[in-house]
Amino acid sequence: MALSKKFTRSLMLAAFGAALAVPGIARAQDEGAHVNGLTGNAASGKEFYRRWCVGCHGKEGNGEGENAQWIDPKPRDFTEALFRWRSTPTGTLPTDQDLYDTITRGVVDTLMPTWRPLTPQTRVDLVAYIKTFSPKWKTQKPGTPITIPPEPPQTIDSVLHGRQLFDQMQCWKCHGPEGRGDGPSAITLTDDKGEPIRPYNFHDGTRFRCGETNQDLYKIFMTGLDGTPMPSFADSLKPQDAWDLVHFLRTLQPNVKSESRNVWLEYVKTHQGQIKPLGVESAGQ
């Protein structure tokens, strides 16, 4: 009898090991969330979600909570697994770290607050639960985060080239010549669900919805904001061009201290009357 029990136990262990070797089962074991050495628990995340998130994002995670009708912009629909604030290429799933960072910092100029007061483990648990709303997390892997090259010096040449790109790429049609988010196309813009969406107002803003650093802004150009009219420029912009755009956009922010704005203001002092306005044919400088 003892030998039989021992033999049975060995068979069970062997079967368990074989099951883990099956790709589908192995993947199922890893559908949680992993951030900074912490592993998220979806069951725990569900409790936290029902306490703090359900009013906006809804019980089904579809962005149709009881408060959603009063919110602009609308809460994210997790069932689509379409996220704007990512480090990964356009059209790909974000990393667990991306979702964690969004929960942590919140989304400025929206009703999504920072959840920094929650413990890191609680935030990772929330990430794990959010991923249960879409089957995409079972069939797709997150994209590989883009590489952000070292930032070059913020020189007047970089700023002027960025200004030229801003004009040539017609960024002003949405963001406006002064970066106020009031370009001629601004009132026509909608998101993937047909809801009106406002271009970012650089002039009044001090923080982007995805962060606040130059690297965060560079990342927007190269990943795009999925579900919005803001595309990825990874296939059309060289890294240096993207950095030049970053440096020019910083000149449009009077409430943000930056080297780019300083060099631009010095340039303006000695080139009055020589700077062509943006938003007209061949703005040049």
Side-chain angles (χ1 to χ4, degrees):
M1 178 68 72
L3 180 61
S4 177
K5 287 183 177 181
K6 183 176 181 181
F7 181 70
T8 300
R9 182 171 180 272
S10 298
L11 284 177
M12 291 175 64
L13 290 174
F16 180 70
L20 290 180
V22 178
I25 296 179
R27 182 175 65 246
Q29 296 294 320
D30 195 33
E31 287 174 4
H34 307 276
V35 178
N36 299 331
L38 299 175
T39 298
N41 181 286
S44 297
K46 180 177 181 178
E47 296 180 13
F48 301 132
Y49 179 91
R50 291 299 178 91
R51 183 182 304 174
W52 297 305
C53 314
V54 70
C56 296
H57 294 285
K59 292 182 179 179
E60 306 301 323
N62 56 9
E64 297 181 6
E66 60 182 10
N67 300 326
Q69 60 182 318
W70 313 112
I71 297 176
D72 180 26
K74 297 300 181 184
R76 176 63 47 226
D77 179 351
F78 298 129
T79 66
E80 297 182 341
L82 189 66
F83 296 91
R84 300 173 186 177
W85 326 120
R86 311 173 326 280
S87 63
T88 60
T90 184
T92 65
L93 292 174
T95 65
D96 292 346
Q97 183 73 57
D98 291 333
L99 297 180
Y100 178 89
D101 289 344
T102 299
I103 292 172
T104 299
R105 67 173 171 255
V107 183
V108 70
D109 294 332
T110 76
L111 289 184
M112 172 67 179
T114 173
W115 291 102
R116 199 178 300 273
L118 300 181
T119 67
Q121 181 63 60
T122 298
R123 282 174 264 161
V124 178
D125 290 343
L126 281 169
V127 171
Y129 184 61
I130 286 170
K131 291 168 64 176
T132 67
F133 287 121
S134 173
K136 289 184 180 180
W137 296 102
K138 296 182 180 180
T139 59
Q140 301 177 27
K141 294 181 178 180
T144 300
I146 66 168
T147 299
I148 300 179
E151 181 177 3
Q154 301 180 51
T155 64
I156 190 57
D157 287 338
S158 176
V159 169
L160 290 175
H161 185 230
R163 189 173 191 270
Q164 185 178 41
L165 290 170
F166 185 86
D167 186 71
Q168 292 176 347
M169 296 168 61
Q170 299 186 331
C171 305
W172 55 271
K173 284 193 173 182
C174 295
H175 294 284
E178 297 179 350
R180 296 177 183 269
D182 59 354
S185 298
I187 60 173
T188 69
L189 301 179
T190 58
D191 64 13
D192 56 307
K193 292 198 171 186
E195 296 287 345
I197 187 170
R198 298 184 296 273
Y200 182 71
N201 183 339
F202 287 96
H203 185 275
D204 296 338
T206 58
R207 219 193 83 182
F208 313 117
R209 289 182 176 177
C210 65
E212 58 188 353
T213 69
N214 285 2
Q215 287 72 20
D216 292 325
L217 188 50
Y218 177 99
K219 188 164 53 180
I220 290 177
F221 296 145
M222 296 313 205
T223 65
L225 303 180
D226 286 355
T228 80
M230 179 66 186
S232 165
F233 293 106
D235 294 331
S236 57
L237 279 181
K238 297 178 181 179
Q240 179 63 56
D241 293 337
W243 278 122
D244 291 344
L245 265 175
V246 169
H247 295 162
F248 167 67
L249 289 172
R250 284 304 197 186
T251 72
L252 301 177
Q253 297 184 287
N255 300 318
V256 177
K257 294 181 179 180
S258 70
E259 183 62 26
S260 293
R261 183 166 174 79
N262 291 338
V263 299
W264 171 249
L265 293 177
E266 287 299 317
Y267 179 84
V268 170
K269 289 179 182 178
T270 57
H271 292 77
Q272 291 288 351
Q274 301 177 37
I275 303 173
K276 298 178 182 179
L278 293 171
V280 296
E281 186 177 358
S282 300
Q285 296 189 64

